[in-house]
Coordinates of all heavy atoms in Angstrom, one line a residue:
M1 N 0.8 -1.2 0.0 CA 0.0 0.0 0.0 C 0.9 1.3 0.0 O 0.5 2.2 -0.6 CB -0.9 0.0 1.2 CG -1.9 1.1 1.2 SD -3.1 0.9 -0.2 CE -4.6 1.3 0.6
T2 N 2.0 1.3 0.7 CA 2.8 2.5 0.8 C 3.3 2.9 -0.6 O 3.2 4.1 -0.9 CB 4.0 2.2 1.7 OG1 3.6 1.9 2.9 CG2 4.9 3.4 1.7
G3 N 3.7 2.0 -1.5 CA 4.1 2.3 -2.8 C 3.1 3.1 -3.6 O 3.4 4.0 -4.3
S4 N 1.8 2.7 -3.5 CA 0.8 3.3 -4.2 C 0.5 4.8 -3.7 O 0.3 5.7 -4.5 CB -0.5 2.5 -4.2 OG -1.0 2.4 -2.9
V5 N 0.7 5.0 -2.4 CA 0.5 6.3 -1.8 C 1.6 7.2 -2.3 O 1.4 8.3 -2.8 CB 0.5 6.3 -0.3 CG1 0.6 7.7 0.3 CG2 -0.8 5.6 0.2
L6 N 2.9 6.8 -2.2 CA 4.0 7.6 -2.6 C 4.0 7.8 -4.1 O 4.5 8.9 -4.6 CB 5.3 6.9 -2.1 CG 5.5 6.8 -0.6 CD1 6.8 6.1 -0.3 CD2 5.4 8.2 0.1
A7 N 3.5 6.9 -4.9 CA 3.5 7.1 -6.3 C 2.6 8.2 -6.8 O 2.8 8.8 -7.8 CB 3.1 5.8 -7.0
H8 N 1.7 8.6 -5.9 CA 0.7 9.7 -6.2 C 1.0 11.0 -5.5 O 0.2 11.9 -5.5 CB -0.7 9.2 -6.0 CG -1.1 8.1 -6.9 ND1 -1.4 8.3 -8.2 CD2 -1.3 6.8 -6.6 CE1 -1.7 7.1 -8.7 NE2 -1.6 6.2 -7.8
S9 N 2.2 11.0 -4.8 CA 2.5 12.2 -4.1 C 3.3 13.2 -5.0 O 3.8 12.8 -6.0 CB 3.4 11.8 -2.9 OG 2.7 11.0 -2.0
L10 N 3.3 14.4 -4.5 CA 4.1 15.4 -5.2 C 5.6 15.1 -5.0 O 6.4 15.1 -6.0 CB 3.8 16.8 -4.7 CG 4.6 18.0 -5.2 CD1 4.4 18.1 -6.7 CD2 4.2 19.3 -4.5
V11 N 6.0 14.9 -3.8 CA 7.3 14.5 -3.5 C 7.3 13.9 -2.1 O 6.5 14.1 -1.3 CB 8.2 15.8 -3.5 CG1 7.8 16.8 -2.4 CG2 9.7 15.5 -3.4
Y12 N 8.3 13.0 -1.9 CA 8.6 12.6 -0.5 C 10.0 12.9 -0.2 O 10.9 12.8 -1.1 CB 8.2 11.1 -0.2 CG 8.7 10.1 -1.1 CD1 9.9 9.4 -0.8 CD2 8.1 9.8 -2.3 CE1 10.4 8.4 -1.6 CE2 8.7 8.8 -3.2 CZ 9.8 8.1 -2.8 OH 10.3 7.2 -3.6
L13 N 10.3 13.3 1.0 CA 11.6 13.7 1.4 C 12.2 12.8 2.4 O 11.5 12.4 3.4 CB 11.5 15.1 2.0 CG 10.8 16.2 1.1 CD1 10.3 17.4 1.9 CD2 11.7 16.6 0.0
C14 N 13.4 12.4 2.2 CA 14.1 11.5 3.1 C 15.5 12.1 3.4 O 16.1 12.6 2.5 CB 14.3 10.1 2.6 SG 12.7 9.3 2.2
A15 N 16.0 11.9 4.6 CA 17.4 12.2 4.9 C 18.0 11.1 5.7 O 17.3 10.5 6.6 CB 17.5 13.5 5.7
Y16 N 19.2 10.8 5.5 CA 19.8 9.6 6.2 C 21.1 10.1 6.8 O 21.8 11.0 6.4 CB 20.2 8.5 5.1 CG 19.0 7.9 4.5 CD1 18.5 8.5 3.3 CD2 18.4 6.8 5.0 CE1 17.4 7.9 2.7 CE2 17.3 6.2 4.4 CZ 16.8 6.8 3.2 OH 15.7 6.3 2.6
D17 N 21.4 9.4 7.9 CA 22.7 9.6 8.6 C 23.3 8.2 8.6 O 22.9 7.3 9.4 CB 22.5 10.1 10.0 CG 23.9 10.3 10.7 OD1 24.9 10.4 10.0 OD2 23.9 10.2 12.0
G18 N 24.2 8.0 7.7 CA 24.7 6.6 7.5 C 23.6 5.8 6.9 O 22.9 6.2 6.0
G19 N 23.3 4.7 7.5 CA 22.2 3.8 7.1 C 20.8 4.1 7.8 O 19.8 3.5 7.5
W20 N 20.8 5.2 8.7 CA 19.6 5.4 9.4 C 18.8 6.5 8.8 O 19.3 7.6 8.4 CB 20.0 5.9 10.8 CG 20.6 4.8 11.7 CD1 21.9 4.6 11.8 CD2 19.9 3.9 12.4 NE1 22.1 3.5 12.7 CE2 20.8 3.1 13.1 CE3 18.5 3.7 12.7 CZ2 20.5 2.0 13.9 CZ3 18.2 2.6 13.5 CH2 19.2 1.8 14.1
L21 N 17.5 6.3 8.6 CA 16.6 7.3 8.2 C 16.3 8.3 9.3 O 15.9 7.8 10.4 CB 15.2 6.7 7.7 CG 14.2 7.6 7.3 CD1 14.6 8.4 6.0 CD2 12.9 6.9 7.0
I22 N 16.7 9.5 9.2 CA 16.6 10.5 10.3 C 15.4 11.4 10.1 O 14.9 12.1 11.0 CB 17.9 11.3 10.6 CG1 18.3 12.1 9.4 CG2 18.9 10.3 11.0 CD1 19.4 13.1 9.7
R23 N 14.9 11.6 8.8 CA 13.7 12.4 8.6 C 13.0 12.0 7.4 O 13.6 11.5 6.4 CB 14.0 13.9 8.6 CG 14.8 14.4 7.5 CD 15.0 15.9 7.5 NE 15.7 16.3 6.3 CZ 16.9 16.9 6.3 NH1 17.5 17.2 7.4 NH2 17.4 17.3 5.2
F24 N 11.7 12.1 7.4 CA 10.8 11.7 6.3 C 9.6 12.6 6.3 O 9.1 13.0 7.3 CB 10.4 10.3 6.4 CG 9.3 9.9 5.4 CD1 9.7 9.4 4.2 CD2 8.0 10.0 5.7 CE1 8.7 9.1 3.2 CE2 7.0 9.6 4.8 CZ 7.4 9.2 3.6
A25 N 9.1 12.9 5.1 CA 7.8 13.6 4.9 C 7.3 13.3 3.5 O 8.1 13.1 2.6 CB 7.9 15.1 5.1
N26 N 6.0 13.2 3.5 CA 5.3 13.0 2.2 C 4.6 14.3 1.9 O 3.8 14.8 2.8 CB 4.3 11.8 2.3 CG 3.5 11.6 1.1 OD1 3.8 12.1 0.0 ND2 2.5 10.8 1.2
V27 N 4.7 14.9 0.7 CA 3.9 16.0 0.3 C 3.0 15.6 -0.8 O 3.4 15.2 -1.9 CB 4.8 17.2 -0.2 CG1 4.0 18.4 -0.6 CG2 5.9 17.6 0.9
A28 N 1.7 15.5 -0.4 CA 0.6 15.2 -1.3 C 0.1 16.5 -1.9 O 0.3 17.6 -1.4 CB -0.5 14.4 -0.6
W29 N -0.7 16.3 -3.0 CA -1.3 17.5 -3.5 C -2.6 17.2 -4.3 O -2.9 16.0 -4.5 CB -0.4 18.3 -4.4 CG 0.1 17.7 -5.7 CD1 0.2 16.3 -6.0 CD2 0.4 18.3 -6.9 NE1 0.6 16.1 -7.3 CE2 0.8 17.4 -7.8 CE3 0.5 19.7 -7.2 CZ2 1.2 17.7 -9.1 CZ3 0.9 20.0 -8.5 CH2 1.2 19.0 -9.5
D30 N -3.3 18.2 -4.6 CA -4.6 18.0 -5.4 C -4.4 18.0 -6.9 O -5.3 18.0 -7.6 CB -5.7 19.0 -4.9 CG -5.3 20.4 -5.2 OD1 -4.2 20.7 -5.8 OD2 -6.1 21.3 -4.9
G31 N -3.1 18.2 -7.3 CA -2.8 18.3 -8.7 C -2.9 19.7 -9.2 O -2.7 19.9 -10.4
R32 N -3.2 20.6 -8.4 CA -3.4 22.0 -8.8 C -2.6 22.9 -7.8 O -1.4 23.1 -8.0 CB -4.9 22.4 -8.8 CG -5.6 21.5 -9.9 CD -7.0 21.9 -10.1 NE -7.1 23.4 -10.0 CZ -7.6 24.2 -10.9 NH1 -8.1 23.6 -12.0 NH2 -7.7 25.5 -10.8
V33 N -3.3 23.5 -6.8 CA -2.6 24.5 -6.0 C -2.5 24.2 -4.5 O -1.9 25.0 -3.8 CB -3.3 25.9 -6.2 CG1 -3.2 26.4 -7.6 CG2 -4.8 25.8 -5.8
H34 N -3.1 23.1 -4.1 CA -3.1 22.8 -2.6 C -2.1 21.6 -2.4 O -2.3 20.5 -3.0 CB -4.5 22.4 -2.1 CG -5.4 23.5 -2.1 ND1 -6.3 23.7 -3.2 CD2 -5.6 24.6 -1.3 CE1 -7.0 24.8 -2.9 NE2 -6.6 25.4 -1.8
A35 N -1.2 21.8 -1.5 CA -0.3 20.8 -1.1 C -0.5 20.5 0.4 O -1.0 21.3 1.1 CB 1.2 21.2 -1.3
F36 N -0.2 19.2 0.8 CA -0.4 18.8 2.1 C 0.8 18.1 2.7 O 1.3 17.1 2.1 CB -1.6 17.8 2.1 CG -2.8 18.3 1.4 CD1 -3.0 18.1 0.0 CD2 -3.8 19.0 2.1 CE1 -4.1 18.6 -0.7 CE2 -4.9 19.5 1.4 CZ -5.0 19.3 0.0
L37 N 1.3 18.6 3.8 CA 2.5 18.0 4.4 C 2.0 16.8 5.3 O 1.2 17.0 6.2 CB 3.2 19.0 5.3 CG 4.4 18.5 6.1 CD1 5.5 18.0 5.1 CD2 5.0 19.6 6.9
L38 N 2.3 15.6 4.9 CA 1.8 14.4 5.5 C 2.9 13.6 6.2 O 4.0 13.5 5.6 CB 1.1 13.5 4.5 CG -0.1 14.1 3.8 CD1 -0.6 13.1 2.7 CD2 -1.2 14.5 4.7
D39 N 2.7 13.1 7.3 CA 3.6 12.1 8.0 C 5.0 12.7 8.2 O 6.0 11.9 8.1 CB 3.7 10.8 7.3 CG 2.3 10.2 7.1 OD1 1.5 10.3 8.1 OD2 2.1 9.5 6.1
P40 N 5.1 14.0 8.6 CA 6.5 14.4 8.8 C 7.1 13.7 10.1 O 6.4 13.7 11.1 CB 6.4 15.9 9.1 CG 5.0 16.1 9.5 CD 4.2 15.0 8.8
R41 N 8.2 13.1 9.9 CA 8.8 12.4 11.0 C 10.3 12.7 11.1 O 11.0 12.8 10.1 CB 8.7 10.9 10.8 CG 7.3 10.4 10.8 CD 6.7 10.4 12.2 NE 5.3 9.9 12.3 CZ 4.2 10.6 12.2 NH1 4.3 11.9 12.1 NH2 3.0 10.0 12.3
V42 N 10.8 12.9 12.3 CA 12.2 13.2 12.6 C 12.6 12.2 13.7 O 12.0 12.1 14.7 CB 12.5 14.6 12.9 CG1 14.0 14.8 13.3 CG2 12.1 15.6 11.8
H43 N 13.7 11.5 13.5 CA 14.2 10.6 14.5 C 14.4 11.3 15.8 O 14.9 12.5 15.8 CB 15.5 10.0 14.0 CG 16.1 8.9 14.9 ND1 16.7 9.2 16.1 CD2 16.1 7.6 14.7 CE1 17.1 8.0 16.6 NE2 16.7 7.0 15.8
P44 N 14.0 10.7 16.9 CA 14.1 11.4 18.2 C 15.5 12.1 18.5 O 15.6 13.1 19.1 CB 13.8 10.4 19.2 CG 13.0 9.4 18.5 CD 13.5 9.4 17.1
D45 N 16.6 11.4 18.1 CA 17.9 11.9 18.3 C 18.2 13.2 17.5 O 19.2 13.9 17.8 CB 19.0 10.9 18.0 CG 19.0 9.7 18.9 OD1 18.3 9.8 20.0 OD2 19.6 8.7 18.6
W46 N 17.4 13.5 16.5 CA 17.6 14.6 15.7 C 16.6 15.7 15.8 O 16.6 16.8 15.1 CB 17.6 14.2 14.2 CG 18.8 13.4 13.9 CD1 19.0 12.0 14.1 CD2 20.0 13.8 13.3 NE1 20.2 11.6 13.7 CE2 20.9 12.7 13.2 CE3 20.5 15.0 12.9 CZ2 22.2 12.8 12.7 CZ3 21.8 15.1 12.4 CH2 22.6 14.0 12.3
R47 N 15.6 15.6 16.7 CA 14.5 16.5 16.8 C 14.9 17.9 17.2 O 14.2 18.9 17.0 CB 13.4 16.0 17.7 CG 12.7 14.8 17.0 CD 11.4 14.4 17.8 NE 10.8 13.3 17.0 CZ 10.2 12.3 17.6 NH1 10.1 12.2 18.9 NH2 9.7 11.3 16.8
H48 N 16.0 18.1 18.0 CA 16.4 19.4 18.4 C 17.5 20.0 17.6 O 18.1 20.9 17.9 CB 16.7 19.4 19.9 CG 15.5 19.0 20.7 ND1 14.5 19.8 21.0 CD2 15.2 17.8 21.4 CE1 13.6 19.2 21.7 NE2 14.0 18.0 22.0
S49 N 17.7 19.4 16.4 CA 18.7 19.9 15.5 C 17.9 20.7 14.4 O 16.7 20.9 14.5 CB 19.4 18.8 14.8 OG 18.6 18.1 13.9
E50 N 18.6 21.1 13.4 CA 17.9 21.8 12.3 C 17.2 20.8 11.3 O 16.6 21.2 10.3 CB 18.9 22.6 11.5 CG 19.3 23.9 12.2 CD 18.0 24.8 12.5 OE1 17.3 25.1 11.6 OE2 17.8 25.1 13.7
S51 N 17.2 19.5 11.6 CA 16.5 18.6 10.7 C 15.0 18.8 10.6 O 14.5 18.8 9.5 CB 16.7 17.1 11.3 OG 17.8 16.5 10.6
A52 N 14.3 19.0 11.6 CA 12.9 19.2 11.5 C 12.5 20.5 10.8 O 11.7 20.5 9.8 CB 12.2 19.2 12.9
P53 N 13.1 21.7 11.1 CA 12.8 22.9 10.3 C 13.2 22.7 8.8 O 12.5 23.2 8.0 CB 13.7 24.0 11.0 CG 13.8 23.5 12.4 CD 13.9 22.0 12.3
K54 N 14.3 22.1 8.6 CA 14.8 21.9 7.2 C 13.8 21.0 6.4 O 13.5 21.3 5.3 CB 16.2 21.2 7.2 CG 16.7 21.2 5.8 CD 18.2 20.7 5.8 CE 18.7 20.8 4.4 NZ 20.1 20.4 4.3
L55 N 13.2 20.0 7.1 CA 12.2 19.2 6.5 C 11.0 20.0 6.0 O 10.5 19.8 4.9 CB 11.8 18.1 7.5 CG 10.8 17.1 7.0 CD1 11.3 16.2 5.9 CD2 10.3 16.2 8.1
V56 N 10.5 20.9 6.9 CA 9.4 21.7 6.5 C 9.7 22.7 5.4 O 9.0 22.9 4.5 CB 8.9 22.5 7.8 CG1 7.8 23.5 7.4 CG2 8.3 21.5 8.8
A57 N 10.9 23.2 5.5 CA 11.4 24.2 4.4 C 11.5 23.5 3.1 O 11.0 24.0 2.0 CB 12.7 24.8 4.8
L58 N 12.0 22.3 3.0 CA 12.1 21.5 1.8 C 10.7 21.2 1.2 O 10.5 21.2 0.0 CB 13.0 20.3 2.0 CG 14.4 20.5 2.2 CD1 15.1 19.2 2.6 CD2 15.1 21.1 0.9
A59 N 9.8 20.8 2.1 CA 8.4 20.5 1.6 C 7.8 21.8 1.0 O 7.2 21.7 0.0 CB 7.6 20.0 2.8
A60 N 8.0 22.9 1.7 CA 7.4 24.2 1.1 C 8.0 24.5 -0.2 O 7.3 24.9 -1.1 CB 7.6 25.3 2.2
E61 N 9.3 24.4 -0.3 CA 10.0 24.7 -1.6 C 9.5 23.8 -2.7 O 9.3 24.2 -3.8 CB 11.5 24.5 -1.4 CG 12.2 25.5 -0.6 CD 13.7 25.2 -0.4 OE1 14.3 24.4 -1.1 OE2 14.2 25.7 0.6
A62 N 9.3 22.5 -2.4 CA 8.8 21.6 -3.5 C 7.4 21.9 -3.9 O 7.1 21.9 -5.1 CB 8.9 20.1 -2.9
A63 N 6.6 22.3 -2.9 CA 5.2 22.6 -3.2 C 5.2 23.9 -4.1 O 4.4 24.0 -5.1 CB 4.4 22.8 -2.0
K64 N 6.0 24.9 -3.7 CA 6.0 26.1 -4.5 C 6.5 25.9 -5.9 O 6.0 26.5 -6.8 CB 6.9 27.1 -3.7 CG 6.9 28.5 -4.4 CD 7.7 29.5 -3.5 CE 7.7 30.9 -4.2 NZ 8.4 31.9 -3.4
A65 N 7.5 25.1 -6.0 CA 8.1 24.8 -7.3 C 7.1 24.1 -8.2 O 7.2 24.3 -9.5 CB 9.4 23.9 -7.2
A66 N 6.2 23.4 -7.7 CA 5.1 22.7 -8.4 C 4.0 23.6 -8.8 O 3.0 23.2 -9.4 CB 4.6 21.5 -7.7
G67 N 4.0 24.9 -8.3 CA 2.9 25.8 -8.6 C 1.9 25.9 -7.5 O 0.8 26.5 -7.7
C68 N 2.1 25.2 -6.4 CA 1.1 25.2 -5.3 C 1.1 26.6 -4.7 O 2.2 27.3 -4.6 CB 1.4 24.2 -4.3 SG 1.2 22.5 -5.0
T69 N -0.1 27.0 -4.2 CA -0.1 28.3 -3.5 C -0.3 28.2 -2.0 O -0.2 29.2 -1.3 CB -1.3 29.2 -4.1 OG1 -2.5 28.4 -3.9 CG2 -1.1 29.5 -5.5
V70 N -0.6 27.0 -1.5 CA -0.8 26.8 -0.1 C -0.2 25.4 0.3 O -0.2 24.4 -0.5 CB -2.2 26.8 0.4 CG1 -2.8 28.2 0.3 CG2 -3.1 25.8 -0.3
L71 N 0.4 25.3 1.5 CA 0.8 24.1 2.1 C 0.1 23.9 3.4 O 0.2 24.7 4.3 CB 2.4 24.1 2.3 CG 3.0 22.9 2.9 CD1 2.8 21.6 2.1 CD2 4.4 23.1 3.2
H72 N -0.6 22.8 3.5 CA -1.5 22.5 4.7 C -0.8 21.5 5.5 O -0.2 20.6 5.0 CB -2.8 22.0 4.2 CG -3.7 21.6 5.3 ND1 -4.5 22.5 6.0 CD2 -3.9 20.4 5.8 CE1 -5.2 21.8 6.9 NE2 -4.9 20.5 6.8
V73 N -0.9 21.6 6.8 CA -0.4 20.5 7.7 C -1.4 20.4 8.9 O -1.9 21.3 9.4 CB 1.0 20.9 8.3 CG1 1.0 22.1 9.1 CG2 1.6 19.7 9.0
D74 N -1.6 19.2 9.3 CA -2.3 18.8 10.5 C -1.3 18.4 11.6 O -0.3 17.7 11.2 CB -3.4 17.7 10.3 CG -4.5 18.2 9.4 OD1 -4.9 19.4 9.5 OD2 -5.0 17.3 8.7
F75 N -1.6 18.6 12.8 CA -0.7 18.2 13.9 C -1.4 18.1 15.2 O -2.5 18.7 15.4 CB 0.5 19.2 14.0 CG 0.1 20.6 14.0 CD1 -0.3 21.2 15.2 CD2 0.1 21.4 12.9 CE1 -0.7 22.5 15.2 CE2 -0.3 22.7 12.9 CZ -0.6 23.3 14.1
R76 N -0.7 17.5 16.2 CA -1.2 17.4 17.5 C -1.1 18.8 18.2 O -0.2 19.6 17.8 CB -0.5 16.4 18.4 CG -0.6 15.0 17.9 CD 0.2 14.0 18.9 NE 1.4 14.6 19.4 CZ 2.6 14.3 19.1 NH1 2.8 13.4 18.2 NH2 3.7 14.8 19.7
D77 N -1.9 19.1 19.1 CA -1.9 20.4 19.8 C -0.6 20.8 20.4 O -0.1 21.9 20.3 CB -2.9 20.4 21.0 CG -4.4 20.4 20.5 OD1 -4.6 20.7 19.3 OD2 -5.3 20.2 21.3
D78 N 0.2 19.8 20.9 CA 1.5 20.1 21.5 C 2.5 20.5 20.5 O 3.6 21.0 20.9 CB 2.0 18.9 22.4 CG 2.2 17.7 21.6 OD1 1.3 17.3 20.8 OD2 3.3 17.0 21.7
L79 N 2.3 20.3 19.2 CA 3.2 20.7 18.2 C 2.9 22.1 17.6 O 3.7 22.6 16.7 CB 3.2 19.7 17.1 CG 3.8 18.3 17.5 CD1 3.7 17.3 16.3 CD2 5.2 18.4 18.0
A80 N 1.9 22.7 18.1 CA 1.5 24.0 17.5 C 2.7 25.1 17.6 O 2.9 25.8 16.6 CB 0.3 24.6 18.3
P81 N 3.4 25.1 18.7 CA 4.5 26.1 18.7 C 5.5 25.9 17.6 O 6.0 26.8 17.0 CB 5.1 25.9 20.1 CG 4.0 25.4 20.9 CD 3.2 24.5 20.0
F82 N 5.8 24.6 17.3 CA 6.8 24.3 16.2 C 6.3 24.9 14.9 O 7.0 25.6 14.2 CB 7.0 22.8 16.1 CG 7.9 22.5 14.9 CD1 9.3 22.6 15.0 CD2 7.3 22.0 13.8 CE1 10.0 22.3 13.9 CE2 8.1 21.7 12.6 CZ 9.5 21.9 12.7
Y83 N 5.0 24.6 14.6 CA 4.5 25.0 13.3 C 4.2 26.5 13.2 O 4.4 27.2 12.2 CB 3.3 24.2 12.9 CG 3.7 22.8 12.5 CD1 3.5 21.7 13.4 CD2 4.4 22.5 11.3 CE1 3.9 20.4 13.0 CE2 4.7 21.2 10.9 CZ 4.5 20.2 11.8 OH 4.9 18.9 11.5
F84 N 3.6 27.1 14.3 CA 3.1 28.5 14.2 C 4.2 29.5 14.5 O 4.3 30.5 14.0 CB 2.0 28.7 15.2 CG 0.7 28.0 14.7 CD1 -0.2 27.5 15.7 CD2 0.4 27.7 13.4 CE1 -1.4 26.9 15.3 CE2 -0.8 27.1 13.0 CZ -1.7 26.7 14.0
D85 N 5.1 29.2 15.5 CA 6.1 30.1 15.9 C 7.2 30.3 15.0 O 7.8 31.4 14.9 CB 6.6 29.8 17.3 CG 5.6 29.8 18.4 OD1 4.5 30.4 18.1 OD2 5.8 29.3 19.5
S86 N 7.6 29.3 14.3 CA 8.9 29.5 13.5 C 8.8 28.9 12.1 O 9.8 29.0 11.4 CB 10.0 28.8 14.3 OG 9.8 27.5 14.5
R87 N 7.7 28.3 11.7 CA 7.6 27.7 10.3 C 6.7 28.4 9.4 O 6.4 27.9 8.3 CB 7.2 26.3 10.4 CG 8.0 25.4 11.3 CD 9.5 25.3 11.0 NE 10.1 25.1 12.2 CZ 11.1 25.9 12.7 NH1 11.5 26.9 12.0 NH2 11.6 25.7 13.9
S88 N 6.2 29.6 9.7 CA 5.3 30.4 8.9 C 3.9 29.8 8.7 O 3.2 30.4 7.9 CB 6.0 30.6 7.5 OG 7.2 31.3 7.7
F89 N 3.5 28.8 9.3 CA 2.2 28.3 9.2 C 1.3 29.2 10.0 O 1.7 29.8 11.1 CB 2.0 26.9 9.8 CG 2.5 25.8 8.8 CD1 3.8 25.3 8.9 CD2 1.7 25.3 7.8 CE1 4.3 24.4 8.1 CE2 2.2 24.4 6.9 CZ 3.5 23.9 7.1
K90 N 0.1 29.5 9.6 CA -0.9 30.3 10.2 C -2.1 29.5 10.6 O -2.5 28.6 9.9 CB -1.4 31.4 9.3 CG -0.2 32.3 8.8 CD 0.4 33.1 9.8 CE 1.5 33.9 9.3 NZ 2.7 34.0 10.1
P91 N -2.7 29.8 11.8 CA -3.9 29.0 12.1 C -5.1 29.3 11.1 O -5.2 30.4 10.6 CB -4.3 29.6 13.5 CG -3.2 30.4 14.0 CD -2.3 30.7 12.8
T92 N -5.9 28.3 10.9 CA -7.0 28.5 10.0 C -8.2 27.6 10.5 O -7.9 26.6 11.2 CB -6.6 28.1 8.6 OG1 -7.7 28.3 7.7 CG2 -6.2 26.6 8.4
L93 N -9.4 27.9 10.1 CA -10.5 27.0 10.4 C -10.5 25.8 9.5 O -10.1 25.8 8.4 CB -11.8 27.8 10.2 CG -12.1 29.0 11.1 CD1 -13.4 29.6 10.7 CD2 -12.1 28.5 12.6
A94 N -10.8 24.7 10.1 CA -10.9 23.4 9.3 C -12.0 22.6 10.0 O -12.3 22.8 11.2 CB -9.6 22.7 9.3
G95 N -12.5 21.6 9.3 CA -13.5 20.7 9.8 C -12.8 19.3 10.0 O -11.8 19.0 9.3
L96 N -13.4 18.6 10.9 CA -12.8 17.3 11.2 C -14.0 16.3 11.6 O -14.9 16.7 12.3 CB -11.9 17.4 12.4 CG -11.2 16.1 12.9 CD1 -10.2 15.6 11.8 CD2 -10.5 16.3 14.2
I97 N -13.9 15.1 11.0 CA -14.9 14.1 11.4 C -14.0 12.9 12.0 O -13.1 12.4 11.4 CB -15.6 13.5 10.2 CG1 -16.5 14.6 9.6 CG2 -16.5 12.3 10.6 CD1 -17.1 14.2 8.2
H98 N -14.3 12.6 13.3 CA -13.6 11.5 13.9 C -14.3 10.2 13.4 O -15.5 10.1 13.5 CB -13.7 11.5 15.4 CG -12.7 12.5 16.0 ND1 -11.4 12.2 16.2 CD2 -12.9 13.8 16.4 CE1 -10.8 13.3 16.7 NE2 -11.7 14.2 16.8
L99 N -13.6 9.3 12.8 CA -14.2 8.1 12.2 C -14.1 6.9 13.1 O -14.4 5.8 12.7 CB -13.5 7.8 10.8 CG -13.7 9.0 9.8 CD1 -12.9 8.7 8.6 CD2 -15.1 9.2 9.5
T100 N -13.5 7.0 14.3 CA -13.4 5.9 15.2 C -14.2 6.1 16.4 O -14.6 7.2 16.8 CB -11.9 5.7 15.7 OG1 -11.5 6.9 16.2 CG2 -11.1 5.3 14.5

């Protein structure tokens, strides 16, 4: 299943330290102007380095290069300072349906 998801993404970003995957993100899109930062992950040992901010910056660059005008991200409440304080994301209204 993973292969089919990544095959339809705008880009996926990976960084390695030796043989270890230290960061990953999938940037999906609607084929037009909306991009979505999905599954951003940074290895715990690298979370307080520049790896996490660089991951977001690369995702934004890729979306902009594809002609997207917005990059959307969902996150847990405790991650709001990371995205709002230093990554240029702005709060916006959105709807959510819990399916479980």
